[in-house]
Amino acid sequence: VVSTQSASTRRGPRATLSSSGVNLGQCLELFTKEERLGREDLWYCRKCKEHKRAMKKFDLWDLPNILVVHLKRFSYTRYYRDKVDTMCHFPLTDLDLSSWCLEKQNSVYDLVSVSNHMGGLGGGHYTAYGRNFINGKWYRFDDSYVAPVNSQDVISKSAYVLIYERRRGNNSNNSHSEGDVGMACDDEVDRGMELLSGPGEMDVD
């Protein structure tokens, strides 16, 4: 359905989200929520020989060792383009995907890196946070500049790509301590998972 609302009205819900923020769990709920395709995205049914507004749903079956979560920071519609600066709260440790995964498996992750984007659609700057696998401390990488940071500084509106490592073993109760954070070997980085938004109400999903 094509909306006839003004741009300022359409941006209302997003402005509300920008002030209150969302969490990664809400984004996962939207990502796995069943939704009906719009009239501009009709699906052709070979049985009916017609284009239908089909239902679409994503499910998680087999989890990767390295989980790459891509937050939707850029919004494109027929009417306007925008940088989404909604605050998304995400866990540094103990991200448990068991509620969204259909297959029973080790589903606990710890954050190891964050890619940040500052700026808008016309230009910007990228920085990164990384967790040292030897001492467990966080560092900020800005071009050639590297400095230690507080772990809570890692969670910000600039977060764009989150990289999680699946915890070794099946114990989901004990998070990594300093010096106990192990990066996956090259052969473990077998696939990433891009997490995009669900139906459009929350564009950082």
Side-chain angles (χ1 to χ4, degrees):
V1 179
V2 178
S3 174
T4 58
Q5 294 176 307
S6 65
S8 60
T9 302
R10 288 193 303 271
R11 295 189 186 204
R14 181 176 299 162
T16 301
L17 287 175
S18 297
S19 60
S20 61
V22 297
N23 60 61
L24 193 56
Q26 291 173 301
C27 298
L28 287 164
E29 288 292 342
L30 283 178
F31 179 71
T32 56
K33 180 181 179 181
E34 187 176 69
E35 63 174 307
R36 183 181 295 277
L37 297 178
R39 297 187 184 279
E40 298 178 354
D41 301 302
L42 298 179
W43 175 76
Y44 182 74
C45 178
R46 296 181 178 180
K47 184 178 180 180
C48 303
K49 306 299 182 182
E50 296 179 356
H51 287 85
K52 300 285 188 178
R53 291 188 62 190
M55 301 300 294
K56 180 184 73 173
K57 189 178 188 304
F58 291 107
D59 287 312
L60 305 182
W61 289 82
D62 188 18
L63 299 176
N65 290 322
I66 298 298
L67 176 69
V68 180
V69 180
H70 179 195
L71 302 178
K72 186 177 180 182
R73 288 300 185 188
F74 302 95
S75 176
Y76 302 89
T77 70
R78 174 182 294 184
Y79 305 99
Y80 66 93
R81 299 179 180 182
D82 198 11
K83 169 70 183 293
V84 182
D85 60 354
T86 303
M87 180 67 179
C88 180
H89 300 274
F90 49 89
L92 299 180
T93 59
D94 301 304
L95 172 63
D96 191 351
L97 298 182
S98 59
S99 298
W100 298 279
C101 186
L102 300 182
E103 294 290 334
K104 186 176 181 180
Q105 56 190 288
N106 183 11
S107 57
V108 179
Y109 289 81
D110 297 304
L111 189 69
V112 294
S113 183
V114 177
S115 176
N116 306 296
H117 179 269
M118 283 76 71
L121 294 176
H125 181 65
Y126 287 92
T127 63
Y129 291 115
R131 190 175 186 183
N132 188 301
F133 75 96
I134 297 177
N135 60 22
K137 296 181 179 180
W138 284 95
Y139 294 84
R140 183 174 186 265
F141 298 84
D142 187 350
D143 293 335
S144 60
Y145 178 76
V146 180
V149 295
N150 187 289
S151 60
Q152 292 306 312
D153 294 336
V154 175
I155 306 173
S156 72
K157 290 184 177 181
S158 300
Y160 186 27
V161 178
L162 315 177
I163 301 178
Y164 283 89
E165 179 187 19
R166 177 149 59 178
R167 187 173 300 171
R168 291 174 173 81
N170 297 318
N171 189 352
S172 61
N173 296 321
N174 297 322
S175 59
H176 284 303
S177 58
E178 290 191 1
D180 190 36
V181 181
M183 292 296 294
C185 300
D186 291 340
D187 58 353
E188 288 184 308
V189 189
D190 45 13
R191 59 188 178 278
M193 184 182 302
E194 185 178 80
L195 181 60
L196 298 176
S197 63
E201 288 80 6
M202 294 187 182
D203 282 341
V204 294
D205 19 55

